[in-house]
């Protein structure tokens, strides 16, 4: 009976060690690539990389937040999210580029080989225009 309990404990510890080494529970930090406030300095577009782990790929995110706010690591992109489609595209600082066209319009250029998960055209009073490159 005592041997069985020790075996259960060792098995549980082994499973936890394997899971931890795979970074399944990792709360990874967003890596900000570029942030730019709009002309009116009310809104800010933030392009960032969200590192993958054992179960997800690296992904590129774009959020529009208040210019005075800071992006939190728990946040995901609220207007654009894409990944490399299992390595078919390259996730880097050039795969997504954006420019403010006016106080309420953001233009986003993105690599056509990215796999898109989110592509919002409107966020509150803002318009987002997308163009493949």
């Amino acid at each position: 009976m005592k041997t069985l309990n020790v075996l259960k404990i060792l098995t549980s510890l082994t499973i936890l060690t394997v899971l931890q080494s795979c970074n399944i529970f990792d709360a990874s930090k967003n890596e900000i690539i570029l942030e730019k406030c709009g002309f009116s300095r009310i809104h800010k577009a933030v392009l960032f990389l969200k590192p993958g782990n054992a179960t997800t790929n690296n992904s590129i995110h774009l959020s529009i937040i208040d210019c005075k706010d800071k992006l939190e690591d728990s946040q995901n992109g609220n207007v654009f999210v894409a990944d490399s489609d299992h390595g078919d595209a390259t996730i880097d600082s050039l795969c997504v580029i954006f420019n403010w066209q006016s106080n309420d319009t953001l233009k986003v250029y993105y690599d056509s080989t990215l796999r898109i998960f989110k592509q919002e055209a409107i966020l509150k009073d803002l318009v987002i225009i997308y163009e493949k490159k």
Side-chain angles (χ1 to χ4, degrees):
M1 187 68 159
K2 191 173 186 177
T3 306
L4 186 59
N5 285 340
V6 169
L7 185 58
K8 285 180 183 178
I9 291 171
L10 287 175
T11 302
S12 296
L13 287 173
T14 302
I15 290 171
L16 285 172
T17 301
V18 168
L19 289 175
Q20 182 63 31
S21 69
C22 293
N23 290 325
I24 289 176
F25 305 115
D26 184 25
S28 56
K29 295 182 181 250
N30 293 334
E31 180 184 323
I32 295 176
I33 296 170
L34 178 65
E35 51 187 345
K36 226 186 262 187
C37 285
F39 300 121
S40 64
R41 314 232 16 109
I42 295 171
H43 303 291
K44 172 171 58 177
V46 183
L47 182 66
F48 59 100
L49 175 72
K50 190 168 271 296
N53 58 30
T55 59
T56 62
N57 291 325
N58 289 347
S59 53
I60 193 91
H61 294 241
L62 180 63
S63 280
I64 299 175
I65 59 178
D66 288 344
C67 207
K68 64 182 179 337
D69 289 347
K70 182 180 176 192
L71 186 75
E72 300 294 327
D73 284 327
S74 62
Q75 288 180 272
N76 292 316
N78 63 5
V79 293
F80 185 82
V81 178
D83 76 2
S84 67
D85 197 9
H86 307 287
D88 289 345
T90 301
I91 300 288
D92 62 15
S93 61
L94 300 175
C95 68
V96 177
I97 299 169
F98 65 87
N99 287 306
W100 285 100
Q101 303 289 299
S102 67
N103 287 334
D104 62 357
T105 304
L106 184 72
K107 185 144 188 193
V108 179
Y109 302 89
Y110 65 94
D111 184 332
S112 62
T113 59
L114 292 173
R115 180 170 56 166
I116 310 300
F117 293 100
K118 180 184 272 190
Q119 190 172 2
E120 301 292 334
I122 296 174
L123 180 70
K124 299 178 184 171
D125 59 341
L126 303 172
V127 175
I128 303 98
I129 301 168
Y130 296 93
E131 186 176 314
K132 293 179 183 179
K133 57 178 185 156

